[in-house]
Amino acid sequence: MKKRRVFIILGTIIGLFFLMLILLRSMGGSASMGQKVAVIDVTGIISKSDATIKLIHAYRDDPSVKAIVLRIDSPGGSVAPVQEIYTELEKIEKPIVASMAGSAASGGYYIACAADTILANPGTLTGSIGVIMQFTRMKGLYDKVGLEHQVIKSGQFKDTGSPFRTLTEEEQAVLQATVDDVYNQFVDTIAEARSNLLTRTEVLELADGRIFSGRQALDSKMIDQLGNLPDAIKIAGELGGIEGSPKVLRREKKTSLFEQLVGIKQMPPFDEMFSLPGVTFRYQMNLGD
């Protein structure tokens, strides 16, 4: 009889547990338990957007995710991937909070502007609003070693930026016009995103390529407040209507066996280190000469 009673009690408890799960699911996960803040890491030079956008879509479609934190530690990157990430973030109807780590400059700041609230540490490096295009000229080296480079092209500007010769005045004018156009896209995006605090004229005064500390950025109204990642998660939880401390959903970046054993990052693929064909525009912080 005693064993039978124990089985009945256990069965009742298990039944109630599963009934509670069914009720919570039918409520769309509205109870505070299970509601999450998702953290998306944007780190390093931004040269691709696919993985980040895939993560954005996953959290967008997850009903348990009530808010998103962008953890940015990046000096910027190529224009198109930065714009693609920003565009997808703009489509999200959930609260977004940006948390700047060591740096969130140029393209990193561009992405941060998609957030409802931007936080930075006092010593974070941000700003660097602008566009850069760089070329390496090897003509002098080739002349010294007696090498000659010949080109057959279909149009006047097809080999613009060739490392084997100096840019012509016409080529410089064409490239400058393109850089100016992309730069104005950058300024327009910031002016629209920060329109409640900054006018376009004020953005232009800040958009000369200089970097700002987090404290300077706060004074310039480029960010909303100082704070770290836990602060950003707390704010995101509040904006998402989560009571108490929110659960955090964060996908850890995979590291190779080499990185785990040696403790350093592998060099990027050869084709990413050297890209001779075409021209690359970057929203990127440039501290060197």
Side-chain angles (χ1 to χ4, degrees):
M1 291 291 292
K2 288 183 179 179
K3 287 184 179 180
R4 187 176 178 184
R5 255 185 223 170
V6 170
F7 284 131
I8 292 173
I9 293 171
L10 286 174
T12 303
I13 292 172
I14 293 172
L16 289 172
F17 176 75
F18 280 106
L19 179 61
M20 183 176 69
L21 289 179
I22 293 171
L23 288 172
L24 286 174
R25 180 168 295 228
S26 67
M27 293 167 64
S30 60
S32 60
M33 64 178 299
Q35 295 185 343
K36 306 180 187 74
V37 168
V39 177
I40 297 177
D41 289 285
V42 180
T43 59
I45 294 176
I46 305 165
S47 59
K48 298 178 180 178
S49 61
D50 293 355
T52 302
I53 290 175
K54 185 176 181 180
L55 205 53
I56 291 170
H57 290 174
Y59 294 148
R60 176 198 64 189
D61 299 334
D62 187 340
S64 71
V65 172
K66 301 303 178 182
I68 294 173
V69 170
L70 297 173
R71 180 61 168 174
I72 304 171
D73 194 357
S74 169
S78 300
V79 173
V82 168
Q83 290 180 327
E84 286 178 339
I85 293 170
Y86 180 90
T87 299
E88 291 307 305
L89 288 169
E90 281 281 278
K91 298 175 184 177
I92 298 291
E93 296 181 355
K94 300 177 181 182
I96 301 175
V97 177
S99 170
M100 297 180 173
S103 66
S106 207
Y109 179 68
Y110 190 115
I111 290 174
C113 286
D116 302 293
T117 303
I118 304 176
L119 279 73
N121 296 288
T124 296
L125 294 181
T126 186
S128 188
I129 301 169
V131 181
I132 187 170
M133 183 189 299
Q134 299 179 96
F135 301 98
T136 299
R137 191 160 62 91
M138 297 187 290
K139 184 178 183 299
L141 175 63
Y142 269 51
D143 290 342
K144 285 183 180 180
V145 297
L147 293 176
E148 186 177 330
H149 183 74
Q150 293 184 334
V151 174
I152 298 173
K153 55 186 180 180
S154 59
Q156 177 184 355
F157 299 105
K158 187 58 184 174
D159 67 335
T160 297
S162 169
F164 307 110
R165 64 178 179 80
T166 303
L167 289 169
T168 66
E169 291 185 1
E170 292 85 356
E171 288 172 333
Q172 290 185 44
V174 168
L175 295 178
Q176 187 63 58
T178 305
V179 167
D180 291 344
D181 178 64
V182 178
Y183 167 76
N184 282 314
Q185 294 175 35
F186 196 165
V187 171
D188 289 342
T189 297
I190 296 173
E192 182 179 353
R194 307 291 293 173
S195 60
N196 60 325
L197 294 170
L198 293 168
T199 64
R200 192 179 192 281
T201 300
E202 290 173 325
V203 172
L204 282 170
E205 293 174 357
L206 301 169
D208 56 6
R210 81 182 92 166
I211 61 170
F212 299 84
S213 69
R215 185 177 297 172
Q216 290 173 324
L218 178 64
D219 292 338
S220 300
K221 301 178 183 179
M222 294 172 61
I223 68 170
D224 298 297
Q225 65 184 79
L226 298 177
N228 55 21
L229 178 58
D231 295 327
I233 291 172
K234 180 181 178 182
I235 292 171
E238 293 170 351
L239 292 175
I242 301 175
E243 297 180 3
S245 299
K247 291 184 178 181
V248 178
L249 181 60
R250 190 176 192 181
R251 192 166 298 180
E252 295 295 332
K253 185 179 179 182
K254 294 181 180 179
T255 56
S256 66
L257 179 60
F258 176 83
E259 292 174 2
Q260 294 176 32
L261 293 174
V262 181
I264 59 174
K265 292 184 178 181
Q266 294 189 66
M267 293 295 289
F270 188 82
D271 61 344
E272 291 185 13
M273 293 172 60
F274 301 97
S275 181
L276 294 179
V279 176
T280 300
F281 302 92
R282 291 191 182 276
Y283 293 142
Q284 186 171 324
M285 179 168 63
N286 184 19
L287 298 179
D289 294 328

